[in-house]
Amino acid sequence: MTSQKILSRLPYSEPFLFVDEIENISENGVLGSYTFHGDSYFYKGHFRDFPVTPGVILTECMAQIGVVCLGIYLVGDKYDQEYQVAMSHTNMDFYHPVFPGEKVKVSSEKIFFRFHKLKCKVAMFNAEGRLVCKGDISGMLKTNE
């Protein structure tokens, strides 16, 4: 499955789409990127006069690239007909802020995929290659019944 096909199947749209590009994907993991636009809605109140990307948004970006894109790739054409992906667990450590206009890269390594559960080790890096945050994210493939 191509990167473009995966991106077209993501169940998100603006302003809650946090994937610009999938650079590499295989059955073992994914590498993708996103640029946080300065006019994004969440910067208006987080924080006053010093906008910083909220940790929950960083986590969502890592989940969209690292779990949802990988989950779509792993189930292939069955995704649209039989499955949807939902986050079930996160454990994140944060090290550096992400500011408006910054481009980040997310790498994800599959820990396991069994019984409709996908667990990945994820990490986010800024443009300088500095580790922004890392952790584990799990998602469940829910059947469309």
Side-chain angles (χ1 to χ4, degrees):
M1 181 178 296
T2 67
S3 296
Q4 274 313 110
K5 194 168 187 179
I6 293 167
L7 292 174
S8 73
R9 290 180 169 183
L10 286 171
Y12 314 104
S13 62
E14 293 293 335
F16 211 74
L17 175 64
F18 301 112
V19 184
D20 287 335
E21 180 183 16
I22 297 171
E23 298 175 26
N24 188 14
I25 193 162
S26 74
E27 66 180 39
N28 296 313
V30 61
L31 177 66
S33 62
Y34 181 73
T35 300
F36 286 97
H37 305 283
D39 60 352
S40 295
Y41 69 94
F42 46 81
Y43 289 126
K44 291 181 176 78
H46 193 266
F47 291 96
R48 188 175 44 236
D49 301 323
F50 189 70
V52 176
T53 309
V56 68
I57 299 295
L58 298 177
T59 302
E60 180 65 25
C61 178
M62 289 189 292
Q64 287 185 18
I65 294 171
V67 177
V68 180
C69 287
L70 184 57
I72 292 170
Y73 177 84
L74 292 173
V75 299
D77 289 330
K78 292 180 182 179
Y79 177 73
D80 289 329
Q81 295 116 21
E82 297 179 34
Y83 298 106
Q84 293 290 319
V85 180
M87 188 165 36
S88 63
H89 175 79
T90 65
N91 180 25
M92 289 294 137
D93 292 317
F94 299 91
Y95 303 103
H96 295 284
V98 173
F99 299 105
E102 281 197 77
K103 180 178 182 175
V104 296
K105 289 196 178 207
V106 174
S107 68
S108 174
E109 179 184 331
K110 179 179 73 177
I111 297 172
F112 65 79
F113 180 46
R114 61 180 176 264
F115 304 115
H116 300 288
K117 185 172 183 176
L118 174 60
K119 183 174 183 177
C120 298
K121 182 188 310 183
V122 294
M124 179 181 283
F125 300 88
N126 64 16
E128 290 79 41
R130 178 180 269 181
L131 179 65
V132 170
C133 49
K134 68 177 182 176
D136 298 329
I137 300 178
S138 298
M140 295 295 295
L141 291 173
K142 177 187 152 304
T143 59
N144 286 331
E145 296 176 358

